[in-house]
Amino acid sequence: MSGTPEHDEPFAAHLTRLVRETVPPMHRAGRPFVLGGIVATLGLRRIARPLGLLGALATGWCAWFFREPKRVPPLRADVVLASADGTVAKLEHAVPPPELGLPDTPLPRVSVFLSVFDVHVQRAPADGVITRAAYRPGKFLSADLDKASEDNERNSLLVRGVDGTEIVVVQIAGLVARRIVCEVAEGDSVLAGQTYGLIRFGSRVDTYLPHGSRILVREGQRTIGGETVLAELDTAG
């Protein structure tokens, strides 16, 4: 008979699974903000129901901002993946951040701009080991400005791939962003597409590629962190 617990339980389990697959989990860095929002919402609701509604909406938006959707990287070891969701803002050659201690030779650079509506976690661009991690304080210019890569607060990682190639990925704070979170350190191993940090509220991520890389994206293209292929590596060299 329909409507019995035996029949209702599978449906409930199915519904729960669909919700979990549709609603992405939240990065743990967002938990303090959401818990604070819940407390504030309860307090505002005691004052006035409309204020409580506004608080609930703000809390919901905060939980949505810190979402960390599951991503499936391609099964290729000769590519560099996008580290962030966003829009390709610049394709150019530039010298990597000096704090990494690399030669001051320009490398191909792909800059991805993240708006406040994008997923803000960052993901490893390839399998490898973090051989250098360096944080540098700086300004909070708008992340879409050319000078943001040089002047803004940033956190840089040098990733040595399994084939010895070196990739640089840089988290850059923006006009609204005031906190860079990096959860890996020198000596840590990472897998392509693995979440390693996030930038709160609007930012930019620069990826410096090895010489000879074949860039596969263009300016204005949308990227999906951990899935979009930025470039193919020169495996012949």
Side-chain angles (χ1 to χ4, degrees):
M1 293 176 62
S2 62
T4 63
E6 291 78 18
H7 288 81
D8 290 340
E9 186 174 358
F11 173 77
H14 177 69
L15 183 61
T16 300
R17 181 175 60 82
L18 288 178
V19 171
R20 287 178 177 174
E21 292 177 351
T22 304
V23 180
M26 181 177 62
H27 191 276
R28 58 180 172 271
R31 293 171 187 169
F33 293 89
V34 173
L35 289 175
I38 292 173
V39 172
T41 298
L42 293 176
L44 290 172
R45 193 173 185 277
R46 289 176 175 270
I47 300 172
R49 285 182 176 273
L51 291 178
L53 177 59
L54 291 176
L57 292 175
T59 302
W61 180 86
C62 195
W64 173 79
F65 176 86
F66 284 101
R67 66 199 184 279
E68 185 183 357
K70 180 182 177 181
R71 297 290 164 77
V72 181
L75 289 174
R76 293 185 61 181
D78 62 337
V79 297
V80 178
L81 303 180
S83 289
D85 290 31
T87 303
V88 177
K90 287 284 184 181
L91 298 175
E92 56 193 348
H93 281 70
V95 176
E99 56 266 27
L100 291 177
L102 296 174
D104 58 352
T105 304
L107 295 173
R109 182 175 75 185
V110 180
S111 298
V112 174
F113 173 74
L114 293 73
S115 75
V116 294
F117 301 105
D118 287 310
V119 173
H120 269 64
V121 297
Q122 281 77 59
R123 304 172 190 269
D127 294 348
V129 176
I130 308 298
T131 57
R132 188 83 170 89
Y135 167 79
R136 198 207 74 166
K139 300 178 181 179
F140 296 97
L141 304 175
S142 178
D144 59 351
L145 297 178
D146 291 339
K147 290 185 70 61
S149 294
E150 287 76 32
D151 296 342
N152 279 23
E153 175 179 317
R154 64 180 179 237
N155 188 79
S156 306
L157 298 179
L158 179 61
V159 183
R160 179 168 294 163
V162 293
D163 59 353
T165 57
E166 292 185 324
I167 304 163
V168 174
V169 60
V170 185
Q171 299 167 288
I172 302 171
L175 182 65
V176 182
R178 286 296 186 272
R179 182 75 169 93
I180 293 175
V181 177
C182 182
E183 300 173 327
V184 294
E186 294 179 10
D188 288 350
S189 296
V190 293
L191 297 175
Q194 171 189 331
T195 298
Y196 75 86
L198 81 160
I199 317 172
R200 294 176 186 164
F201 310 119
S203 48
R204 174 172 168 169
V205 175
D206 287 348
T207 303
Y208 294 79
L209 306 166
H211 286 295
S213 300
R214 178 174 171 242
I215 296 178
L216 299 179
V217 292
R218 61 179 62 183
E219 292 185 8
Q221 180 178 337
R222 293 283 302 170
T223 61
I224 299 175
E227 293 187 353
T228 299
V229 175
L230 293 184
E232 290 180 340
L233 297 171
D234 180 15
T235 55

